[in-house]
């Protein structure tokens, strides 16, 4: 049960973002820029970073949502699972393996990101902006994960919910729908 009253029909981060629209707006805008804005990393690759970080932070809602978004964007349901299990054997490029390792390091601690990890990414073809954005996506999802868990939001158990949420994320991105979300009546 959430620590504060939140809209029951909006579990996870969605209810929190509706609770404080003024703080939600800049967070949503940053998320939209990082995960859907101009980038040499595909939206699916960026969702993999979000799914990995959320998985390592043990935030069920965010892990399920971003795993499903990655699955839909990548066109399979195995890559995100493989990344979360073992980055080095996952079916992604050498560049993505290096960037995902940077995300894994940054998730533990910003100071855990080493010059060697950055050099590996550069050697694999990663640009400075890709390295930057990987660390920033990691930091942003660590914020989301702590927000969701720190407020004890609800994480639905039904996989159909995350299918719907993944479809919403991939089709609309991270912007709030005009007028907000429909109120559920019982």
């Amino acid at each position: 049960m959430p620590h504060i009253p939140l809209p029951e029909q909006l579990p996870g981060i969605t209810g929190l973002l509706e609770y404080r629209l003024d703080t939600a707006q800049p967070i949503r805008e940053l998320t939209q820029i990082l995960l859907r804005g101009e980038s040499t990393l595909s939206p699916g690759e960026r969702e993999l970073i979000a799914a990995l970080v959320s998985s390592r932070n043990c935030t069920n809602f965010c892990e399920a949502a971003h795993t499903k978004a990655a699955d839909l964007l990548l066109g399979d349901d195995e890559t995100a699972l493989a990344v979360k299990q073992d980055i080095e054997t996952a079916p992604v490029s050498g560049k993505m393996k290096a960037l995902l390792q940077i995300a894994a390091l940054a998730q533990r601690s910003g100071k855990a990101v080493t010059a060697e990890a950055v050099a590996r990414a550069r050697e694999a073809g990663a640009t400075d902006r890709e390295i930057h954005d990987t660390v920033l996506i990691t930091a942003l999802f660590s914020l989301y994960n702590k927000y969701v868990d720190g407020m004890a939001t609800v994480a639905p158990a039904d996989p159909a919910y995350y299918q719907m949420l993944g479809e919403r994320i991939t089709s609309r991105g991270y912007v709030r729908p005009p007028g907000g979300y429909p109120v559920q009546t019982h």
Side-chain angles (χ1 to χ4, degrees):
M1 176 171 214
H3 294 309
I4 61 173
L6 296 171
E8 288 182 32
Q9 80 278 14
L10 300 175
I13 193 66
T14 313
L16 290 171
L17 295 174
E18 285 297 291
Y19 180 80
R20 283 283 314 258
L21 294 176
D22 58 337
T23 60
Q25 183 178 349
I27 295 170
R28 284 183 181 278
E29 289 172 1
L30 180 58
T31 308
Q32 184 69 19
I33 290 167
L34 287 173
L35 272 70
R36 292 297 179 277
E38 183 182 321
S39 177
T40 51
L41 297 176
S42 74
E45 290 170 327
R46 291 176 274 168
E47 289 289 349
L48 282 176
I49 297 167
L52 175 70
V53 171
S54 297
S55 169
R56 292 196 174 204
N57 283 331
C58 301
T59 303
N60 297 336
F61 179 87
C62 298
E63 177 185 356
H66 297 286
T67 295
K68 183 47 68 179
D71 290 349
L72 291 167
L73 289 165
L74 297 172
D76 71 63
D77 60 356
E78 297 172 9
T79 302
L81 178 62
V83 161
K84 293 184 296 182
Q85 290 176 339
D86 183 355
I87 294 167
E88 294 305 322
T89 61
V92 295
S93 69
K95 177 175 86 171
M96 273 311 296
K97 287 177 184 178
L99 291 171
L100 289 162
Q101 288 292 2
I102 288 174
L105 292 168
Q107 177 272 329
R108 284 198 324 245
S109 168
K111 293 182 180 193
V113 179
T114 62
E116 293 80 15
V118 172
R120 176 186 175 195
R122 284 191 179 121
E123 288 168 16
T127 65
D128 287 349
R129 181 165 171 177
E130 290 168 338
I131 294 165
H132 170 276
D133 288 0
T134 295
V135 172
L136 188 51
I137 291 167
T138 301
L140 178 63
F141 276 86
S142 291
L143 175 146
Y144 275 133
N145 299 157
K146 289 176 189 312
Y147 192 25
V148 165
D149 289 341
M151 295 305 295
T153 65
V154 173
D158 184 359
Y161 175 81
Y162 297 101
Q163 178 69 35
M164 176 277 304
L165 185 56
E167 290 170 4
R168 186 175 83 198
I169 290 169
T170 58
S171 66
R172 198 182 67 238
Y174 293 93
V175 296
R176 184 175 185 261
Y181 295 91
V183 175
Q184 187 176 24
T185 57
H186 297 283

